[in-house]
Amino acid sequence: MIGGSCPGVYVWLLCCCSCVQPSDTADHTGLSLYSVSVGVKKMVNATTVKTKPYTDQKPGTSGLRKRVTVFQQNQHYAENFIQSIIAVIEPDKRAAATVVVGGDGRFFMKDAIQLIVQIAAGNGIGHLVIGQNGIMSTPAVSCVIRKIKAVGGIILTASHNPGGPNGDFGIKYNIASGGPAPEGITNKIYDVSKSLQEYHICPDLKVDLSKIGKQSFEVNSKPFTVEIVDSVEAYAEMLREIFDFAALKELLSGAHHINVRLDAMHGVVGPYVKKIVCEELGSPADSAVNCVPKEDFGGHHPDPNLTYAADLVKAMKGGEYDFGAAFDGDGDRNMVLGKHGFFVNPSDSVAVIAANIKSIPYFQKTGVKGLARSMPTSGALDNVAKALNMQLYETPTGWKFFGNLMDAGKLSLCGEESFGTGSDHIREKDGLWAVLAWLSILAHRKQSVEDIMKDHWQKFGRNFFTRYDYEEVESDAANKMIKHLETIMFDPAFKGKKLSSGEKTYEVAISDNFAYTDPVDASVSKNQGLRIIFTDGSRIIFRLSGTGSAGATIRLYIDSYEKDPKKIYQDPQVMLAPLVDIALKVSQLKENTGRTAPTVIT
Ligand code: VG1
Ligand code: CO
């Protein structure tokens, strides 16, 4: 070693066999094709910094989400939360542990990653694997955690929330299965954060996020390595195993190819779409738009719905494209559109995939173990489960509840009404996977999106579904509305009550606050949404969002089943108008919040 002559820092050239230890030459993850060690090993010191706890670092539906300014302007705010996350990794496991780090490219991500590197090193974590330039979609992080058997991952994203200096930022912890930390762990993180007095950090440690390869350090005489990997390759490799790429290539670039338009909304999925759909499957380069990740998502909400993906909707209406899709900031959500902008409701999307599951080679290998949806998601999937004699699970909102079922071999395919679809190939919802699933169905059935959807409704009946979002309502007003609703709903006289709007009358069968007992570990999650279920099965659901960063977002969900083939092509907003009216009356939403119209209707 030549370290002795160079105080503080010593040079470690990997081409020089006399100074290389076997563990350093082995490519730790096997992930990157180009993994070369950057031949300098630096010695850095860890120090302990005194801090004061914050009381508001409770992870929500999917991680801790706050305004960027909250992370930036409050002293040690990000440091505290990162320290709280790392605190849940057992101290004796840290030296051998690998943690995956990646994010959706939003403003403040790179700063946060440098902090994670410094704090992970300061707490004795042995290895980090980070996407090049910090970029890694949420499903790709899940994929990489599983592939390299990491102890977990930290994802820097606020998903579909806007970014930029005045936008949102978020930090989420995923566990060794690749899935979002379950409530038991997020509660622990929160508890640590509430009493945190200090954190451990290597303030002088800096990594070059742009350079693929391994960067080695010595922290208080213990090795610490950071490996920067290609953000796309491991994920692409996984998709090649799941789908029939030859059939997809034929569909997208063969003699009778269809035309697609994919909108990455300047989120993280752009490089994935470019490499997989354009370069590999042969779709023309201009079929994918907004593919360069931007810190502020070009000033838009990176949220794939009819309101925020208006450009895609407009482009599809022109009739030039057969299939369209948009993704959210971190690449786990998807919206599917057919020719002329035909909208596939996400609750229907998962049901269609379930009914056509044989179009996807992965499921032929693994079999279909069970289906699941979040509680507010429409019952469309239930109809398929019943017809195919498959088990169906109804979980609370948020992907973390699916993981246990998947790990226990009870669940293969699941979805949420909020544009989330996925399977047990990983433990996150997966936007590009959902798009390739749909394209596989198109390739197999050789029908349009609209015809596939209409056939489905003919066969299974249709669950009309809509969601109204009231964003940034004043918290007190939202709570007042919920209190009011509870008073009415929990009155024993409410059951059997007939509620009418125009010609329509519905009789209350059940009214409750949804609670879930995990069938695997028996953990109980209460207060997951107020439900009014009518005797005909129609449902009105109210819940407060757990992903917002300011005020409260009220979500109202309506689900109503129709079997009559003559009625199934009607406009959902027309079909559901009486139930919406009843929901607004019962909740006195307008009176309580002053809101006369929702921010977004899906
Ligand atoms: C929302 C959706 C939920 C989804 C969650 C995370 O949560 O309703 O279905 O799992 O976002 O998605 P909430 O609590 O705001 O309703 V993502 O793509 O923002 O990570
Ligand atoms: Co997301």
Side-chain angles (χ1 to χ4, degrees):
M1 261 187 244
I2 37 180
S5 59
C6 182
V9 175
Y10 64 92
V11 180
W12 180 296
L13 292 171
L14 288 186
C15 56
C16 164
C17 52
S18 64
C19 60
V20 172
Q21 291 172 358
S23 64
D24 285 286
T25 51
D27 178 9
H28 177 67
T29 62
L31 266 183
S32 139
L33 295 175
Y34 322 98
S35 185
V36 283
S37 292
V38 182
V40 181
K41 184 159 180 166
K42 281 191 183 161
M43 271 163 70
V44 287
N45 290 320
T47 65
T48 298
V49 177
K50 293 275 169 235
T51 185
K52 286 207 184 76
Y54 286 92
T55 53
D56 67 344
Q57 298 195 325
K58 186 175 169 58
T61 311
S62 185
L64 180 72
R65 293 185 190 177
K66 300 278 177 198
R67 290 274 194 257
V68 165
T69 47
V70 172
F71 283 97
Q72 261 183 336
Q73 290 166 12
N74 291 316
Q75 215 193 1
H76 310 309
Y77 195 86
E79 290 89 336
N80 275 20
F81 191 66
I82 296 164
Q83 175 67 45
S84 305
I85 288 176
I86 291 177
V88 305
I89 303 173
E90 296 293 335
D92 60 335
K93 303 226 168 80
R94 290 183 196 164
T98 301
V99 175
V100 180
V101 182
D104 62 8
R106 69 178 57 224
F107 184 80
F108 195 62
M109 177 192 78
K110 285 191 179 166
D111 295 340
I113 291 180
Q114 294 292 352
L115 282 178
I116 290 169
V117 171
Q118 294 175 346
I119 296 171
N123 282 277
I125 297 287
H127 315 275
L128 295 182
V129 166
I130 307 179
Q132 189 176 23
N133 296 314
I135 290 289
M136 210 186 267
S137 74
T138 292
V141 171
S142 186
C143 160
V144 172
I145 292 172
R146 293 168 68 76
K147 181 165 181 165
I148 66 172
K149 300 194 168 37
V151 289
I154 301 177
I155 309 180
L156 295 317
T157 175
S159 190
H160 56 288
N161 299 8
N166 299 312
D168 283 357
F169 191 70
I171 304 181
K172 184 168 95 164
Y173 182 58
N174 281 29
I175 57 172
S177 68
E183 283 185 337
I185 292 181
T186 55
N187 288 341
K188 242 191 225 168
I189 293 172
Y190 179 43
D191 284 345
V192 172
S193 75
K194 282 188 295 188
S195 58
L196 198 76
Q197 299 296 334
E198 57 185 33
Y199 60 85
H200 310 290
I201 188 162
C202 296
D204 303 326
L205 203 162
K206 290 254 157 21
V207 291
D208 182 348
L209 293 174
S210 69
K211 218 183 284 169
I212 287 196
K214 210 188 270 181
Q215 299 169 43
S216 301
F217 304 87
E218 245 187 49
V219 178
N220 296 356
S221 324
K222 296 212 182 83
F224 172 68
T225 62
V226 174
E227 188 174 356
I228 308 295
V229 299
D230 182 297
S231 306
V232 181
E233 190 42 40
Y235 176 81
E237 195 180 292
M238 175 188 73
L239 291 188
R240 286 182 206 117
E241 294 293 312
I242 295 173
F243 297 104
D244 179 349
F245 265 41
L248 292 176
K249 193 165 183 179
E250 186 60 32
L251 179 80
L252 294 174
S253 52
H256 305 287
H257 68 89
I258 63 164
N259 295 321
V260 304
R261 185 173 177 96
L262 305 178
D263 191 334
M265 300 183 85
H266 292 299
V268 73
V269 90
Y272 295 80
V273 169
K274 276 276 175 207
K275 178 122 177 233
I276 297 166
V277 182
C278 299
E279 286 171 31
E280 195 158 341
L281 297 174
S283 195
D286 63 0
S287 62
V289 298
N290 301 325
C291 283
V292 177
K294 287 194 180 165
E295 288 197 331
D296 67 348
F297 307 105
H300 299 293
H301 282 241
D303 195 352
N305 60 36
L306 294 169
T307 303
Y308 295 127
D311 287 353
L312 176 72
V313 175
K314 194 167 157 221
M316 291 302 295
K317 284 203 168 135
E320 194 186 327
Y321 305 102
D322 305 292
F323 178 91
F327 307 91
D328 72 337
D330 62 329
D332 55 357
R333 296 187 181 202
N334 74 95
M335 175 171 75
V336 167
L337 300 175
K339 202 170 184 137
H340 303 297
F342 180 87
F343 174 63
V344 178
N345 192 292
S347 296
D348 282 333
S349 176
V350 64
V352 168
I353 296 173
N356 293 279
I357 205 142
K358 297 221 168 77
S359 308
I360 301 168
Y362 173 84
F363 294 113
Q364 293 186 356
K365 283 181 250 164
T366 64
V368 185
K369 295 153 192 157
L371 306 172
R373 61 165 173 83
S374 64
M375 181 275 283
T377 303
S378 93
L381 188 62
D382 308 35
N383 303 328
V384 178
K386 214 177 286 163
L388 303 182
N389 204 12
M390 277 190 249
Q391 183 68 39
L392 179 114
Y393 300 90
E394 184 182 35
T395 59
T397 296
W399 211 260
K400 58 185 169 224
F401 295 99
F402 296 129
N404 267 358
L405 296 168
M406 289 178 177
D407 292 344
K410 291 176 184 293
L411 173 58
S412 296
L413 172 72
C414 52
E416 292 192 284
E417 47 64 42
S418 53
F419 299 88
T421 328
S423 96
D424 62 350
H425 64 291
I426 52 172
R427 295 294 180 272
E428 288 277 6
K429 53 188 183 271
D430 189 341
L432 190 48
W433 175 92
V435 164
L436 296 194
W438 263 91
L439 291 174
S440 301
I441 295 168
L442 296 187
H444 192 227
R445 293 191 39 170
K446 303 195 178 359
Q447 278 177 296
S448 70
V449 171
E450 184 166 348
D451 287 347
I452 289 170
M453 197 65 250
K454 287 184 167 168
D455 277 3
H456 186 92
W457 292 331
Q458 288 290 348
K459 191 166 168 193
F460 296 97
R462 177 173 182 184
N463 278 78
F464 284 91
F465 180 84
T466 190
R467 179 173 115 178
Y468 281 32
D469 294 324
Y470 298 83
E471 293 173 1
E472 293 189 27
V473 173
E474 210 201 304
S475 293
D476 288 348
N479 291 330
K480 201 170 120 204
M481 189 205 79
I482 295 286
K483 277 265 156 334
H484 165 81
L485 253 176
E486 285 174 346
T487 314
I488 291 184
M489 285 174 60
F490 300 155
D491 180 342
F494 194 58
K495 193 176 167 196
K497 201 161 176 170
K498 294 198 171 71
L499 303 174
S500 302
S501 171
E503 315 264 272
K504 288 283 225 173
T505 297
Y506 297 88
E507 185 184 332
V508 176
I510 299 169
S511 61
D512 66 2
N513 199 332
F514 181 63
Y516 176 69
T517 304
D518 186 297
V520 181
D521 64 16
S523 58
V524 178
S525 303
K526 290 187 180 156
N527 301 323
Q528 298 295 324
L530 294 171
R531 311 190 287 183
I532 303 174
I533 306 177
F534 297 101
T535 48
D536 74 339
S538 296
R539 299 184 300 156
I540 291 173
I541 295 148
F542 279 96
R543 52 180 285 285
L544 296 182
S545 155
T547 58
S549 62
T553 293
I554 298 172
R555 303 203 196 285
L556 160 63
Y557 313 79
I558 312 271
D559 174 22
S560 186
Y561 180 66
E562 181 59 63
K563 216 168 127 200
D564 184 349
K566 292 195 290 296
K567 292 191 184 158
I568 56 178
Y569 299 141
Q570 298 213 12
D571 177 354
Q573 294 307 323
V574 173
M575 285 298 276
L576 299 175
L579 282 165
V580 171
D581 182 43
I582 290 170
L584 296 178
K585 273 194 214 144
V586 174
S587 63
Q588 299 201 333
L589 187 138
K590 277 183 211 168
E591 295 77 354
N592 280 309
T593 67
R595 291 296 177 92
T596 51
T599 323
V600 177
I601 295 182
T602 298

